[in-house]
Amino acid sequence: MPAYMISYDLRKVRNYDSLIKTLRNMKCISPLKSLWFGNLKGPASEVAKILLEEIDGDDGLVIVEMKEGADWAVVRENEDAATFLQKFVAP
C-alpha cells in the first residue's frame, strides 16, 4: 500500500473529533498539527472520499502520495514521523 501525506484546513466550524478518529482508525500518525501520514489503500481520490465524509463543505484537504526514494527531513515532530518515513518512503 502506498504512503500518503494528508493535510487539512478546517475553516468555519472546527470539529476535529470525527476526522481525527477516522485517521486514527486508518492507523495514520500525526507528526504535526493538521498533518498526517498513513500507509493506505489508494488511490488518493479514494482516501479523499473517505475523509470528505468527516469535514464540512468549506474545509480544505490535500492528499499526496509519498514515493520511495523521496527526500525528507523531520524536526521536533509530535509522533515518530522519521520511523514512518524510513519504513515507507526511504529507498
Side-chain angles (χ1 to χ4, degrees), residues 1-4 26 28 38-48 50 63:
M1 287 191 290
Y4 289 98
M26 296 168 80
C28 294
N39 185 31
L40 306 169
K41 184 176 179 184
S45 60
E46 290 300 316
V47 176
I50 294 166
I63 301 168

Side-chain angles (χ1 to χ4, degrees), residues 11 13 15 17 22 28 30 32 34 37 47-48 50-52 58-60 66 68-69 74 81-82 84 88-90:
R11 296 183 175 127
V13 177
N15 182 359
D17 295 340
T22 298
C28 294
S30 179
L32 299 173
S34 299
F37 293 158
V47 176
I50 294 166
L51 298 179
L52 282 171
D58 64 333
D59 297 335
M66 298 184 293
E68 183 177 317
V74 295
F84 178 91
F88 297 110
V89 180

Side-chain angles (χ1 to χ4, degrees), residues 51-77:
L51 298 179
L52 282 171
E53 296 291 322
E54 309 304 332
I55 63 176
D56 295 329
D58 64 333
D59 297 335
L61 182 64
V62 174
I63 301 168
V64 177
E65 184 179 353
M66 298 184 293
K67 300 278 187 177
E68 183 177 317
D71 191 27
W72 58 269
V74 295
V75 178
R76 292 184 289 278
E77 72 273 21

